[in-house]
Amino acid sequence: MADFILHHYQFSPYSEKVRSMLAYAELDWHSVTHKEMPPRPLLSPLVGNYGRIPVAQIGADVFCDSNLIAEEIAVLANKPELSFQNSSQEIKDFVQHVEGKIFFAGVLAGGSNELRKKIRKTMSLWDLGRFFVDRTIMGFSATTENMIKPTEARKVLNEHLESLEERLQSDFIFGDSPTLADFSCYHSLWFARDLGEKPFMKKYKKINAWMDRVKALGQTKMQDMDGEAALKIAKESSVRVYPDLGEAKVIAVGPSDYRQKATEGKLVYEDETRWVLSRQHPKCGEIQIHFPKLAYTAR
């Protein structure tokens, strides 16, 4: 089995979701960090125009979107509770709810001087300026109905926090053991509490205790890796084998809500949940990129 490689950056909420799942699953993984905004020259050979993070890599196969990455972790670690497809409809509905407007509310309401200080320590002034321009453009170009106005964020988040505080009657959201719902709900609140250090989070005793439990799950087994090494691994690895689809069909796949740029490739596999595209690049050879169908479009 090839190494599990996570392409991410420190302050990314969805990266924290995946990092938390990897700790819970106690999987060995390699960490490749990238810039907080495109261009990412050591990631684009693997993903083409795809502009989001995190991205997972296993050999020459690359996985986009945190829920699709969770599917891979669920299989590798034999943790079916991390699979969206394996979840009950109630959990699926909850995951989509908290990763919609609630996610944007947590990120927008989580901004603070404390967060800005942390970001400034990791970026040059030039990159900091690019970061804020990038996020502004991303917000204005988004077509999702889940994107909310900054002035609405605190109200939406407060309603969610009140509801979640009342809901938490067990150690985890859906009972005595964690599910995908816990990790999907955790990361936007992590952004507000742990990164933004927002005082309003302190009054929710059950939520804070639950967050601490999620944070303490498992043991992180991470080793740093540079981007060039990840590209070399892709080049030296073979892609997964899928049944021949016959005549080559070229499609372009991208998110349907924000950062909508599409990546083009030859379709080598498709089922009800994902597309797999084959691409070639001099730096990594033949690769296969896996995209989910939920909240993505193909043309």
Side-chain angles (χ1 to χ4, degrees), residues 73-141:
I73 296 174
V75 172
L76 289 172
N78 192 25
K79 297 284 187 183
E81 65 271 21
L82 297 180
S83 166
F84 182 82
Q85 301 306 323
N86 188 64
S87 298
S88 67
Q89 190 59 51
E90 185 181 14
I91 290 178
K92 287 179 179 178
D93 291 343
F94 181 85
V95 167
Q96 291 184 272
H97 171 65
V98 295
E99 294 195 340
K101 288 183 179 180
I102 303 304
F103 168 76
F104 289 108
V107 171
L108 290 170
S112 66
N113 287 331
E114 286 75 14
L115 175 59
R116 284 185 280 274
K117 288 175 186 175
K118 292 170 184 175
I119 291 175
R120 280 199 293 267
K121 289 180 180 178
T122 66
M123 291 189 202
S124 66
L125 287 175
W126 170 252
D127 280 343
L128 190 63
R130 289 180 56 241
F131 174 78
F132 286 115
V133 169
D134 173 77
R135 292 308 192 268
T136 300
I137 293 173
M138 184 181 75
F140 279 117
S141 63

Side-chain angles (χ1 to χ4, degrees), residues 161 165 193 197-206 208:
L161 291 169
E165 183 77 0
R193 187 191 77 163
E197 300 180 32
K198 302 298 286 191
F200 65 78
M201 291 292 300
K202 294 180 180 178
K203 75 173 188 176
Y204 298 101
K205 304 301 183 185
K206 291 181 181 178
N208 279 281

